[in-house]
Amino acid sequence: MAMADLGTTREPIIEVRHLRKTYSGITVLKDVNFRLYPGEVNALVGENGAGKSTMIKIIAGVEKPDRLSEIYFDGVLIHNMTPSRAMQFGIAVIYQDLSMFPNLSIAENLFIGRNEGALFSRREIVRKAVACFRDVNIEIDPCEKLGNLSVGQQQIVAIVKAVSSSAKVIIMDEPTASLTGNEIELLFRLVRELKKKNIAIVYISHKLDEVLALADTVTILRDGELIASDGVSNFDYQKIVRLMVGRELRFISMRSEKEPGEMLFEVKHLKNSFVNDVSFAVRRNEILGLTGLVGAGRSEMGQSIFGIYPLEAGEILIWGERVSIRDTSEAIKSGISYLTEDRQTQGMFKGQTLIWNSTAAIIDRLSNSMHTMDFEKEREIVADNIRALQIRPNRPEMNVESLSGGNQQKVMIAKWLNTKPKVLLIDEPTCGVDVGTKLEIHRLLRELAEQGVAVILISSDLTEVLAISDRILVMREGRIVGTFDAADATMENILSKGLMG
């Protein structure tokens, strides 16, 4: 297996040899060898559950590898890597959950927790923060409260914090999952500045166009095994996909070939602080796509229908009957389910098992008149979920946080499918998932639409919206500003509506 040709004079800053990891008899990493060089962007790709997160956790000292695995840093064998030792070596991990303090300023977030032998005045902290951002050619006001920044700007602050801590290796886990186009450009510019400083970067992403544009080396894992690691010039999109999944994936349109059937769901003139006079309908056999720029009101519209935000006016009809939705419990009882785009903070019950997260929305159906749980029935339901959605690993008692992002998303989908919804509002369903899982989710949504579920896809991914929607609504400033039949929709006319109204 060829490694990228980065010159014979350079030594890897991180090298792992014969890396293995087993959980309860299930092997998730099998004899993986990996090298990372200073000044290199090494894109780590693979399907959800391929072992990417586990490998990164081992390098960062969060997980322990199996016996005979070896990790070298700057040529020195590390016998017992821990998170604190990893930080001392200069290894920083930027997770999707940034774990910073939104109520503090940018400057305070940059230096909180530091022990550099001196107490800094507020003025000195601001001065140092200005120097840190200037060093990477980023302009930002360090006195601004972190919580006032966009997700993308907070991501930049987290990276600069790592650089200011003398990081030699920065691991970025799906860094653009929630970013706008401009924020992605800013992130890319920062990554290129870090390369100039000889900082090594592991870039984990399911967005293969980003991988091809930014990486020097592409490393592919499949089912815990290293499949390829080579210079980016030796890959194209289809080759990466083929190596990731072990087969040829063909992305074909999943629009329905059937005529729309009976009316399943309708909203009329919905209005509150977030949406203004929104009306639409969904019929059997069709998926309704809802898109628009960030801040257009897409998610807020879904959350208003689900009862998170109260409506001031309007009607909601399910199967022709008007329903009153004052809160989420009434929405669920009426047959409405909403899969949030933010599974980390709004979707999952952290610290709980796969079982708990799968059945949380149907606890009342699993308990009898004596309010005791039917655990056997619960396990049967979860076993069906695991089998139908191919959740890996097949361990119902596993902490949901230990699953890969794509498998966490499958658990969130299972939770709402278990409610037997009449209406499924699904918000950014494939954000942070691999191409194979993306295809599985698209097929599932099509099956649900044909089974008589009103499926409303909320997504900023125009490729996704165009691929599986039968009709497309475009939102801007809380209003629907464009409606397209799939056959007439293009990226250009969708974007023009979203930008201009």
Side-chain angles (χ1 to χ4, degrees):
M1 184 174 302
M3 289 287 183
D5 182 9
L6 296 166
T8 57
T9 59
R10 292 203 292 173
E11 293 295 326
I13 188 166
I14 288 179
E15 183 176 8
V16 297
R17 301 178 185 173
H18 311 298
L19 189 62
R20 297 175 182 271
K21 180 63 180 178
T22 304
Y23 293 103
S24 303
I26 299 173
T27 302
V28 295
L29 287 173
K30 310 167 188 175
D31 199 32
V32 171
N33 297 296
F34 172 79
R35 292 178 181 175
L36 178 68
Y37 292 85
E40 172 194 30
V41 177
N42 194 320
L44 184 60
V45 299
E47 291 191 278
N48 296 115
K52 305 185 301 296
S53 296
T54 302
M55 186 172 109
I56 293 310
K57 287 176 182 177
I58 290 172
I59 291 173
V62 176
E63 296 279 2
K64 301 297 181 188
D66 291 352
R67 195 172 61 88
L68 302 181
S69 302
E70 296 178 343
I71 302 176
Y72 293 83
F73 187 85
D74 259 349
V76 177
L77 177 62
I78 309 301
H79 291 287
N80 183 28
M81 185 69 87
T82 64
S84 60
R85 293 190 76 189
M87 290 175 63
Q88 290 169 7
F89 287 132
I91 301 172
V93 184
I94 312 297
Y95 294 106
Q96 293 180 53
D97 178 5
L98 296 174
S99 300
M100 294 194 293
F101 299 91
N103 58 318
L104 299 182
S105 71
I106 293 170
E108 289 167 331
N109 270 279
L110 227 55
F111 293 102
I112 194 167
R114 298 280 185 90
N115 183 13
E116 299 180 347
L119 294 175
F120 299 136
S121 67
R122 186 177 298 274
R123 180 178 296 176
E124 181 67 6
I125 288 174
V126 171
R127 187 190 67 77
K128 282 177 166 284
V130 168
C132 289
F133 285 103
R134 185 186 299 126
D135 194 40
V136 290
N137 292 321
I138 299 292
E139 291 186 11
I140 198 166
D141 179 4
C143 296
E144 182 76 40
K145 186 179 288 188
L146 185 79
N148 294 339
L149 303 185
S150 68
V151 174
Q153 291 171 319
Q154 291 185 34
Q155 188 94 254
I156 297 298
V157 173
I159 294 169
V160 172
K161 179 175 182 177
V163 175
S164 68
S165 301
S166 302
K168 297 178 181 178
V169 174
I170 298 179
I171 299 168
M172 301 183 186
D173 186 8
E174 296 288 349
T176 65
S178 302
L179 306 194
T180 65
N182 289 337
E183 290 169 342
I184 291 171
E185 285 298 320
L186 181 61
L187 177 70
F188 278 22
R189 181 158 63 84
L190 178 56
V191 168
R192 293 183 181 111
E193 290 291 332
L194 300 182
K195 284 181 60 177
K196 294 177 185 176
K197 297 179 178 298
N198 224 28
I199 293 173
I201 296 168
V202 179
Y203 191 90
I204 303 172
S205 180
H206 292 304
K207 298 181 179 180
L208 301 187
D209 54 340
E210 292 180 7
V211 168
L212 292 168
L214 195 63
D216 302 299
T217 303
V218 178
T219 299
I220 300 172
L221 295 180
R222 185 172 76 229
D223 295 330
E225 296 185 67
L226 180 64
I227 300 302
S229 188
D230 211 341
V232 68
S233 61
N234 294 312
F235 295 94
D236 58 24
Y237 186 95
Q238 289 301 330
K239 182 176 179 180
I240 294 176
V241 170
R242 186 172 65 253
L243 291 172
M244 280 174 55
V245 303
R247 62 192 186 279
E248 198 77 39
L249 272 187
R250 297 192 179 278
F251 289 90
I252 58 174
S253 172
M254 288 195 185
R255 297 170 185 166
S256 178
E257 296 180 358
K258 300 178 180 178
E259 288 295 319
E262 69 272 24
M263 184 75 71
L264 299 176
F265 181 65
E266 190 174 8
V267 299
K268 298 179 180 180
H269 309 296
L270 300 187
K271 185 177 181 180
N272 61 13
S273 301
F274 303 102
V275 297
N276 191 353
D277 197 27
V278 167
S279 300
F280 62 82
V282 187
R283 296 179 178 274
R284 180 188 284 268
N285 297 328
E286 73 172 357
I287 294 175
L288 182 70
L290 187 73
T291 191
L293 300 178
V294 173
R298 304 167 318 203
S299 295
E300 290 81 0
M301 186 280 297
Q303 291 162 0
S304 298
I305 293 172
F306 190 56
I308 294 174
Y309 300 125
L311 289 167
E312 298 168 6
E315 292 181 277
I316 298 176
L317 296 92
I318 301 176
W319 295 355
E321 293 188 9
R322 183 173 177 174
V323 295
S324 175
I325 307 296
R326 289 171 295 186
D327 55 35
T328 56
S329 62
E330 286 190 349
I332 295 170
K333 288 177 183 176
S334 298
I336 300 174
S337 293
Y338 172 72
L339 179 68
T340 177
E341 66 173 324
D342 187 355
R343 62 175 175 262
Q344 292 293 330
T345 60
Q346 297 177 358
M348 294 193 309
F349 292 98
K350 292 187 175 182
Q352 298 294 337
T353 62
L354 189 162
I355 291 178
W356 179 277
N357 276 274
S358 297
T359 59
I362 56 167
I363 292 296
D364 57 331
R365 301 183 194 177
L366 293 172
S367 55
N368 58 27
S369 58
M370 302 296 292
H371 302 291
T372 58
M373 283 283 290
D374 186 339
F375 293 109
E376 184 176 346
K377 183 178 179 181
E378 181 183 45
R379 285 191 167 276
E380 288 176 1
I381 289 172
V382 174
D384 287 342
N385 295 156
I386 290 171
R387 183 168 53 253
L389 295 173
Q390 298 180 21
I391 299 171
R392 296 183 295 175
N394 179 2
R395 294 175 58 200
E397 299 290 349
M398 190 172 185
N399 187 322
V400 72
E401 291 178 84
S402 299
L403 298 176
S404 66
N407 283 293
Q408 289 176 356
Q409 186 73 337
K410 290 179 181 180
V411 173
M412 297 301 98
I413 292 172
K415 175 174 72 175
W416 292 116
L417 293 186
N418 286 336
T419 67
K420 308 296 184 187
K422 299 174 182 176
V423 180
L424 178 62
L425 295 145
I426 189 159
D427 198 347
E428 302 288 0
T430 61
C431 180
V433 307
D434 62 73
V435 287
T437 302
K438 190 172 188 176
L439 199 58
E440 291 174 23
I441 292 173
H442 289 174
R443 284 175 176 154
L444 173 64
L445 296 181
R446 176 53 60 197
E447 290 172 5
L448 291 172
E450 292 181 354
Q451 291 166 9
V453 177
V455 177
I456 302 165
L457 168 70
I458 303 171
S459 179
S460 57
D461 184 343
L462 290 184
T463 303
E464 174 172 70
V465 171
L466 288 164
I468 69 170
S469 302
D470 301 294
R471 282 189 302 116
I472 299 167
L473 305 182
V474 183
M475 288 193 73
R476 182 172 180 267
E477 296 179 350
R479 293 178 177 270
I480 293 173
V481 294
T483 303
F484 298 93
D485 287 330
D488 302 323
T490 65
M491 284 196 181
E492 290 75 14
N493 57 27
I494 289 174
L495 281 171
S496 66
K497 279 292 182 183
L499 288 167
M500 305 302 294

